[in-house]
């Protein structure tokens, strides 16, 4: 898959590296320095390069959106036309100091994003795990008991591609349904963050869903 990374920080940097190591073509974009993007591409040890959001949009089948909510409009403007592109968003609609969701209950960040890019095929994924676990899960991906990762979206073929990336990253994809379910997965992501960073837990947190009976 040709994957463009829009936002090459903790999530985008790590997931892009994992996707490149899993054999995908990755283009890192959107950081404050070009040097950082080039370094990420070099150190991915896969098929990876650095570029601009517009180049990422042009050259990719699927884009990972991994910026703070306050940067979404800017990165989308720089990316340009996203018609027919799959946009997998791990961006949560957080306020400036990351203490609360600014979209919730009757909508979600994922649904707001879908309204911003009406011709794109939006999937919400990866935002319910702390970035700290990503490399560990990838390295342990052949274990029988893999952590789960919930995702949702309205376009089935876009979801199939997202599920492939989720598997490549070492997780069991858990299809939570249509994009409106992001109203519940986004608050769930805050629960995970609270357990990982707020209490006595640690960021080394990934979850499994067990079917009982
Ligand atoms: N981190 C997690 O564990 C986690 C978990 C679940 C969901 N999320 C969500 O994922 C999204 C990304 O989080 P993150 O932790 O990866 O954030 P991050 O590390 O801050 O990454 C955001 C990226 O945006 C770039 N950026 C910010 N301002 C910019 C500007 N003015 N011009 C160009 N680039 C700019 C940053 O550049 P630099 O690299 O130069 O700083 C960075 O590459 C957020 O919506 C967050 O809520 C994160």
């Amino acid at each position: 898959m040709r994957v463009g990374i829009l936002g090459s920080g903790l999530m985008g940097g790590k997931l892009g590296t994992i996707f490149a190591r899993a054999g995908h073509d990755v283009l890192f974009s959107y950081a404050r320095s070009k040097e950082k993007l080039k370094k990420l591409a070099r150190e991915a040890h896969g098929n990876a390069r650095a570029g601009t959001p517009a180049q990422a949009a042009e050259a990719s089948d699927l884009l990972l959106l991994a910026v703070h909510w306050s940067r979404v409009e800017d990165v989308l403007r720089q990316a340009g036309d996203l018609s027919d592109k799959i946009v997998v968003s791990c961006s949560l609609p957080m306020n400036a100091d990351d203490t609360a969701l600014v979209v919730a209950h009757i909508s979600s960040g994922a649904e707001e994003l879908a309204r911003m890019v009406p011709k794109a095929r939006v999937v919400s994924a990866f935002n319910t795990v702390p970035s700290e676990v990503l490399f560990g899960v990838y390295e342990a991906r052949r274990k029988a008991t893999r952590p789960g990762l919930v995702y949702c979206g309205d376009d089935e073929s876009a979801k199939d591609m997202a599920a492939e990336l989720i598997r490549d990253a070492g997780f069991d994809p858990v299809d939570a349904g249509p994009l409106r379910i992001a109203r519940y997965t986004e608050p769930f992501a805050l629960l995970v963050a609270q357990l990982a960073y707020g209490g006595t837990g640690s960021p080394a947190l990934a979850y499994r869903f067990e079917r009982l009976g």
Side-chain angles (χ1 to χ4, degrees):
M1 229 181 271
R2 298 176 308 164
V3 182
I5 306 292
L6 300 176
S8 300
L10 287 172
M11 292 297 277
K14 285 187 174 170
L15 283 170
T17 300
I18 286 171
F19 297 153
R21 290 180 186 169
H24 300 289
D25 260 341
V26 172
L27 193 151
F28 289 101
S29 78
Y30 205 73
R32 272 166 279 230
S33 85
K34 274 189 194 154
E35 275 320 305
K36 177 182 176 180
L37 297 173
K38 285 185 190 160
K39 186 165 185 280
L40 275 170
R42 254 192 331 270
E43 292 178 356
H45 302 303
N47 205 352
R49 62 199 165 103
T52 63
Q55 288 166 337
E58 173 80 36
S60 306
D61 314 301
L62 181 149
L63 292 147
L64 180 82
L65 179 69
V67 293
H68 190 273
W69 189 246
S70 59
R71 308 301 318 169
V72 168
E73 275 187 28
D74 186 52
V75 76
L76 291 180
R77 187 184 49 74
Q78 290 193 34
D81 185 12
L82 297 185
S83 299
D84 291 328
K85 299 287 179 187
I86 297 170
V87 178
V88 175
S89 174
C90 61
S91 291
L92 287 168
M94 302 295 290
N95 62 1
D97 62 4
D98 287 331
T99 52
L101 290 173
V102 292
V103 180
H105 309 306
I106 56 166
S107 188
S108 59
E111 289 162 280
E112 296 299 313
L113 171 68
R115 281 190 267 278
M116 291 179 216
V117 284
K119 292 185 180 150
R121 300 141 74 200
V122 175
V123 178
S124 172
F126 293 109
N127 48 18
T128 52
V129 287
S131 59
E132 282 87 345
V133 305
L134 295 174
F135 282 147
V137 171
Y138 176 68
E139 275 147 24
R141 65 195 186 282
R142 301 198 200 292
K143 278 195 180 164
T145 54
R146 294 151 49 115
L149 199 148
V150 286
Y151 67 111
C152 60
D154 293 332
D155 183 299
E156 290 306 320
S157 63
K159 279 167 77 169
D160 288 347
M161 303 243 316
E164 190 181 327
L165 288 181
I166 291 169
R167 267 185 219 99
D168 286 345
F171 295 88
D172 271 341
V174 179
D175 183 352
L179 200 61
R180 66 178 169 75
I181 298 298
R183 295 170 200 183
Y184 316 121
T185 59
E186 289 172 3
F188 177 70
L190 288 202
L191 167 67
V192 174
Q194 174 63 29
L195 292 170
Y197 308 109
T200 53
S202 79
L205 176 72
Y207 53 86
R208 280 188 61 76
F209 286 101
E210 302 287 349
R211 193 177 292 278
L212 304 176

